[in-house]
Amino acid sequence: MAGQGWELVGAPNARDLGGLIGADGRRVRVGQLIRTPALGRLTDEDLPVLAKLGPAIVLDLRDSSEIAVAPTDRLVGEPRVVHLPVHDPEHPVFTYVSAVLLGHDLDAYAELARQGTAGAMAAIYRWFVTGASARVGFAEAVRLAAQPENLPLVYHCSAGKDRTGWLTVVLLTALGVDEAAIRSDYLRNNALTESLRAVIVEAMRRRHADLDVDAVLPVLEVRDEYLDAAYDEVRRVHGSFDAYLRDGLGITDETRTALRAQLLE
């Protein structure tokens, strides 16, 4: 289990991937790969913590349409901000998640709720594997992480659980971390955001007396079935994760070797 020794009040599911065991029993270096949600809700007390983490790059996986309606990321120092939008307008789940997080009107998403948001989330995870912008964004993120001048790397989407979660799967798999440890980190999101989910649901209840909580919770949680959908798509399309990294994302052996050189102790 990765440890961190710090927390961000305004980004409760932020965490350092350092300490996880990768290839040849070597551990992921502490303080180099940090996954977070969007940083617009950081408190004043969070800023010195972020400064101490000292990111060289803050990588944002959101689309410009999501960024426009969200609080501006609160940053310290002079990290390079890199936008790699992993987004598909054909999948309304992205904007639905943002709308839920930001307290926007959800009437436009009634049909999505009727269709089943858990199923829609699984579809998104399959799209992470095959979608054009997903493949471009995740591949470039891996290449950035393989270059020492880009570390420490902080990366996020809106909630820091789905796009951020799959990028974490890609990075950790490339580093040789086993699937059980990767899944454990992925599922930590639910415990870390339990109180935040309760606040969001209660706020939504006040605005919508007839709120269908079962239609909202799937976009606020991570679930084994979502991750399984992505892994199944990897196997269906590429046969193995190694082939997905190579053929789906274009990650060369040289890049993977460099990634391990930079990020494994």
Side-chain angles (χ1 to χ4, degrees):
M1 179 66 67
Q4 58 187 52
W6 51 264
E7 64 178 27
L8 296 171
V9 174
N13 57 340
R15 53 205 186 270
D16 184 349
L17 299 176
L20 292 169
I21 298 174
D24 304 319
R26 297 159 65 199
R27 291 184 181 273
V28 178
R29 294 183 190 276
V30 172
Q32 300 301 297
L33 284 180
I34 297 156
R35 55 174 297 178
T36 74
L39 301 173
R41 297 183 184 278
L42 294 187
T43 66
D44 289 346
E45 292 73 23
D46 289 332
L47 297 182
V49 179
L50 183 61
K52 199 169 291 186
L53 294 172
I57 282 184
V58 173
L59 173 57
D60 190 340
L61 299 170
R62 296 174 298 172
D63 182 67
S64 58
S65 62
E66 299 173 86
I67 295 170
V69 297
T72 302
D73 273 5
R74 300 190 71 187
L75 303 174
V76 289
E78 295 183 353
R80 181 159 71 97
V81 178
V82 176
H83 294 284
L84 293 175
V86 174
H87 186 270
D88 184 353
E90 297 301 311
H91 282 287
V93 169
F94 291 117
T95 48
Y96 183 49
V97 172
S98 294
V100 169
L101 291 173
L102 298 169
H104 293 168
D105 186 12
L106 300 179
D107 290 346
Y109 304 99
E111 181 59 29
L112 175 62
R114 278 193 294 274
Q115 291 172 355
T117 43
M121 291 297 292
I124 281 288
Y125 275 70
R126 289 191 291 272
W127 177 85
F128 287 162
V129 177
T130 57
S133 70
R135 291 168 61 193
V136 169
F138 294 140
E140 183 58 22
V142 174
R143 286 190 282 269
L144 287 171
Q147 300 167 31
E149 64 270 22
N150 297 330
L151 301 172
L153 177 68
V154 168
Y155 59 97
H156 71 77
C157 51
S158 289
K161 65 186 183 68
D162 300 311
R163 287 167 286 187
T164 298
W166 185 247
L167 175 54
T168 301
V169 171
V170 170
L171 287 166
L172 292 180
T173 304
L175 289 169
V177 178
D178 71 65
E179 186 177 323
I182 292 171
R183 187 178 292 267
S184 178
D185 173 77
Y186 170 79
L187 292 171
R188 283 184 69 198
N189 175 84
N190 291 342
L192 293 170
T193 60
E194 185 174 5
S195 58
L196 175 62
R197 281 199 310 281
V199 168
I200 290 172
V201 169
E202 183 54 37
M204 293 177 72
R205 281 190 203 275
R206 288 198 296 270
R207 289 195 302 274
H208 302 275
D210 59 345
L211 176 70
D212 181 357
V213 175
D214 289 338
V216 173
L217 282 179
V219 303
L220 296 176
E221 298 173 342
V222 297
R223 297 181 178 182
D224 277 308
E225 66 199 78
Y226 304 163
L227 198 55
D228 289 341
Y231 277 131
D232 287 347
E233 191 73 351
V234 165
R235 285 188 288 268
R236 185 186 73 81
V237 177
H238 298 288
S240 70
F241 214 101
D242 279 347
Y244 163 61
L245 290 172
R246 183 184 65 243
D247 303 329
L249 299 184
I251 302 301
T252 64
D253 290 343
E254 291 78 11
T255 296
R256 196 162 173 179
T257 297
L259 186 77
R260 292 183 175 189
Q262 299 306 323
L263 289 167
L264 293 179
E265 293 179 339

